[in-house]
Amino acid sequence: FPRAGVIGNPVSHSLSPKLHGHWLRRYGIDGSYDALPVTEDALERTLRSLPAQGYVGVNVTLPHKVAVLQIADQLTDRATLIGAANTLTFKEDGRIFADNTDGYGFIENLHQGAPSWDAKAGPAVVFGAGGAARAVIMSLIEAGAPEIILTNRTRPKAEALRADFGARIRIVDWVQAGSVLADAATLVNTTSLGMTGGQEFRVPLDALRAGTVVTDIVYTPLRTKFLDAAAEKGCVTVDGLGMLLHQGVPGFERWFGKRPEVDDDLRRAVL
Ligand code: ATR
């Protein structure tokens, strides 16, 4: 039977085994999905040895999402541009095909959580310029956002992102983050602010227009203060768990031959 899994270090916190395990049971598929702890030293050796053990592919989590690009034999344009991969598929001839489905998960989550959302409706404001922001920004550009207003505590990281993704990105200083919100059709927090146990999110959201679609990639807690503040302004809010669930869809379909559903049952199963 086909095997898949997730590689990371550590990997015990990953929700992917619950996610794919739920889908395997729900569709009655004879397959498995394991958490595979792999150190950086052992990364290439492990990846090359997995196909012989029946693996058809793996998800990749921290800290390996960038390093796997050097090992893979074939990359999608998305993975190349984002500079990271989260979904590997092993071809029958042993070649490793690397893709990044985070942007896909991000967009699908918005469509499902806010059915009237349209990237083309106006500028998207993005807080943060780390790894997650790269996938978010690329997918917003692909979806037709007319402008990306990007703000990050460390401005050179935002500038590096604009160098990669082009002129549709306008950079605003982090201290001014609150002042660009009136223009936003979409607002995304990609920073780690607001995560359980971490620092609080302090950017004032008073300028947000009612009807702006607001999403957070933080999903612990599921309802962040950022989302609560946006909801108070009359915004449509979408939590970040769905991005994680949707990013798993393309891999599951490639590995197990069934396009899985993301619904409330699944949300309950992974939490
Ligand atoms: P990820 O892969 O989840 O994006 P990351 O690459 O470490 O993680 O990026 C974390 C993001 O949260 C960055 O945009 C970071 O800002 P810096 O580039 O200035 O580091 C942002 N972030 C983390 N802590 C922050 C804080 N206390 N204030 C503002 N931004 C913060």
Side-chain angles (χ1 to χ4, degrees):
F1 60 84
R3 302 173 79 180
V6 54
I7 58 167
N9 187 28
V11 77
S12 54
H13 66 282
S14 171
L15 293 182
S16 291
K18 281 187 182 167
L19 166 64
H20 290 268
H22 176 86
W23 281 333
L24 286 169
R25 282 191 302 280
R26 170 154 162 192
Y27 300 114
I29 293 171
D30 191 13
S32 70
Y33 188 100
D34 320 304
L36 303 166
V38 177
T39 61
E40 265 137 315
D41 291 352
L43 182 60
E44 175 149 22
R45 184 167 22 96
T46 305
L47 284 175
R48 296 285 171 204
S49 72
L50 288 175
Q53 299 171 53
Y55 283 88
V56 289
V58 287
N59 287 120
V60 183
T61 188
L62 298 177
H64 302 315
K65 291 176 85 163
V66 175
V68 291
L69 292 189
Q70 303 302 319
I71 298 168
D73 301 296
Q74 201 186 335
L75 311 177
T76 59
D77 291 348
R78 273 188 303 263
T80 305
L81 267 167
I82 293 168
N86 70 338
T87 305
L88 306 183
T89 301
F90 305 134
K91 304 284 185 176
E92 288 192 354
D93 61 6
R95 290 172 359 119
I96 300 174
F97 173 79
D99 193 10
N100 191 312
T101 67
D102 287 332
Y104 165 86
F106 171 74
I107 296 288
E108 287 300 303
N109 186 38
L110 283 185
H111 282 312
Q112 192 175 56
S116 65
W117 178 72
D118 180 5
K120 300 186 186 77
V125 174
V126 176
F127 290 164
R134 298 181 70 85
V136 164
I137 286 171
M138 196 188 135
S139 65
L140 284 168
I141 291 172
E142 254 180 25
E147 184 183 32
I148 312 285
I149 301 170
L150 174 60
T151 180
N152 190 53
R153 176 180 60 177
T154 309
R155 187 175 169 120
K157 279 169 73 179
E159 281 160 0
L161 243 146
R162 184 174 55 191
D164 286 352
F165 292 104
R168 248 192 275 173
I169 298 178
R170 171 155 69 96
I171 299 170
V172 170
D173 276 338
W174 181 240
V175 288
Q176 293 192 313
S179 71
V180 291
L181 298 174
D183 298 334
T186 313
L187 169 64
V188 189
N189 174 43
T190 76
T191 74
S192 49
L193 294 171
M195 214 179 263
T196 305
Q199 292 190 54
E200 242 178 82
F201 191 94
R202 291 184 195 279
V203 177
L205 301 184
D206 306 302
L208 270 177
R209 274 188 290 127
T212 300
V213 173
V214 179
T215 188
D216 200 337
I217 68 155
V218 172
Y219 58 83
T220 46
L222 206 47
R223 290 300 305 180
T224 57
K225 285 187 181 154
F226 170 78
L227 290 178
D228 284 344
E232 262 172 46
K233 299 296 297 180
C235 298
V236 180
T237 58
V238 181
D239 70 51
L241 180 63
M243 176 176 172
L244 172 88
L245 305 181
H246 283 284
Q247 65 75 37
V249 169
F252 190 91
E253 184 176 21
R254 272 171 221 157
W255 305 325
F256 299 114
K258 165 80 192 167
R259 188 163 187 83
E261 306 261 337
V262 173
D263 57 16
D264 285 341
D265 248 13
L266 178 65
R267 288 172 68 90
R268 280 189 292 271
V270 300
L271 281 176

